[in-house]
Amino acid sequence: MKVLLATQKPFAAAAVNGIREILVGAGHEVALLEKYADQSDLVKAVSDADALIIRSDKVTAEVLDAAKKLKIVVRAGAGYDNVDLAAATAHGVVVMNTPGQNSNAVAELAVAMMIFMARTQFTPATGSEVQGKTLGIQAFGNVGRLVGAKAKALGMKVKALDPYLSDEQIIAGGAEPVHSLDELYSGSDYVSLHIPALPSTVGSINYELITKMPKGATLVNTARKEVVDEAGLEKALEDRPDLKYVTDVAPDNLAVLQEKFGLRVFATPKKMGAQTAEANVNAGLAAARQIVDYFANGNTRFQVNK
Ligand code: 3PG
């Protein structure tokens, strides 16, 4: 089978080599499309592929229409909001993710971002310490749990909200359960977002929620830019000169935010949460193994469009 590894943001060489080794070792052929300039490059490259490995690359209906031989797409990572699942299902294409494989990298970045903002973006201005502060984690999945454990090691008090988990599961994960967004936002010096981008979550982090945060609080977004209502965020930062926002997913109104709010806002130049050699290897190799296992044994354990 021909497997296309299409990554606009390339994996580390060790991951690419590992992916190739696994796939070629199982008798498959590998094609590589990195740093492509235009979506049409992906549409063209996928035309004769039987399988596709991607990161945040957009697998649209157009891509799926062009991919006449495609049987499986593996998103080497957690969030699959970049894949048109309905179109994939309509084309009979299996879509999988590789949950947990890049979580530690994202969690380390979330913690680093908290400290970066607490220490006024590493400028000489007087900062604050995270020890003794409360961190509220919105969604206590693979990343949220790791963020919580690291924050506890820094002496933070950790609370978590997750409608899919029982109190016992949240306590077992090392956090104090909270039961409403109101409780999470009003009681947290830092709120760290770990929710997926879904119709129900897009734009859900709005003015009302953000302004519930206590004096001096910081919102940390290593999830997806779409979950934050940008106009609401701008107004919240305007009305509450004590609040801060740090994000790994630059909002569309970043230039305005930076001009208006200076050191109270920071965005990474390019999404980098999962951009470590370790995460690339973990997620990339898992994707390759899942493809081998799917073709050899029909294993659909990580399928997300069942
Ligand atoms: C994920 O959903 O796994 C992360 O957002 C990583 O995305 P990336 O592979 O584009 O860095």
Side-chain angles (χ1 to χ4, degrees):
M1 298 286 179
K2 181 167 177 179
V3 183
L4 174 66
L5 172 59
T7 50
Q8 208 157 32
K9 181 174 55 183
F11 275 139
V16 177
N17 293 339
I19 290 167
R20 207 187 284 278
E21 221 166 89
I22 289 169
L23 291 168
V24 171
H28 301 299
E29 187 193 329
V30 179
L32 187 59
L33 176 71
E34 289 182 329
K35 289 188 193 169
Y36 52 96
D38 195 84
Q39 185 70 4
S40 59
D41 298 329
L42 176 58
V43 171
K44 208 166 133 200
V46 83
S47 64
D48 62 345
D50 298 283
L52 177 62
I53 299 177
I54 49 156
R55 296 183 67 178
S56 289
D57 306 80
K58 291 186 176 29
V59 178
T60 59
E62 192 195 357
V63 171
L64 289 155
D65 285 343
K68 301 284 181 233
K69 295 171 70 186
L70 196 65
K71 293 150 194 75
I72 177 169
V73 176
V74 182
R75 193 283 190 238
Y80 43 88
D81 46 307
N82 49 321
V83 180
D84 186 333
L85 291 189
T89 305
H91 281 84
V93 173
V94 168
V95 182
M96 297 185 188
N97 65 350
T98 65
Q101 298 292 346
N102 58 17
S103 304
N104 188 65
V106 180
E108 286 191 10
L109 184 70
V111 172
M113 284 180 146
M114 282 195 280
I115 296 177
F116 183 60
M117 295 307 275
R119 303 305 288 266
T120 63
Q121 297 195 22
F122 298 165
T123 63
T126 302
S128 59
E129 297 177 23
V130 296
Q131 176 171 259
K133 304 295 189 305
T134 299
L135 166 65
I137 299 177
Q138 190 174 348
F140 206 47
N142 290 318
V143 182
R145 279 196 298 274
L146 287 166
V147 172
K150 293 173 199 309
K152 279 181 90 172
L154 291 166
M156 298 183 83
K157 191 172 164 198
V158 178
K159 298 179 180 186
L161 175 72
D162 194 317
Y164 299 100
L165 299 179
S166 65
D167 282 5
E168 290 69 28
Q169 286 171 310
I170 291 179
I171 293 164
E176 180 193 321
V178 293
H179 304 101
S180 70
L181 286 166
D182 190 1
E183 204 184 344
L184 188 79
Y185 278 74
S186 62
S188 301
D189 301 300
Y190 294 85
V191 169
S192 192
L193 302 176
H194 301 292
I195 49 176
L198 301 170
S200 57
T201 63
V202 167
S204 65
I205 313 304
N206 55 22
Y207 176 84
E208 206 198 337
L209 268 187
I210 298 166
T211 52
K212 280 188 197 300
M213 295 176 82
K215 193 167 169 37
T218 301
L219 179 64
V220 182
N221 185 6
T222 55
R224 290 289 183 270
K225 75 170 183 167
E226 290 82 1
V227 301
V228 173
D229 169 22
E230 295 184 2
L233 170 70
E234 188 177 332
K235 185 164 158 43
L237 292 168
E238 193 123 34
D239 291 358
R240 287 276 309 275
D242 57 299
L243 295 180
K244 297 177 188 169
Y245 181 58
V246 60
T247 177
D248 184 32
V249 272
D252 293 337
N253 61 350
L254 179 65
V256 175
L257 295 185
Q258 283 178 328
E259 197 192 317
K260 280 188 173 175
F261 310 116
L263 291 178
R264 291 169 51 212
V265 172
F266 178 82
T268 51
K270 198 169 190 177
K271 189 165 85 154
M272 57 166 288
Q275 195 61 347
T276 64
E278 293 89 340
N280 284 182
V281 167
N282 291 342
L285 271 55
R289 288 193 188 104
Q290 286 172 213
I291 286 174
V292 170
D293 201 18
Y294 176 71
F295 284 130
N297 310 307
N299 189 340
T300 55
R301 178 170 167 212
F302 295 108
Q303 185 173 356
V304 294
N305 64 335
K306 267 185 187 163

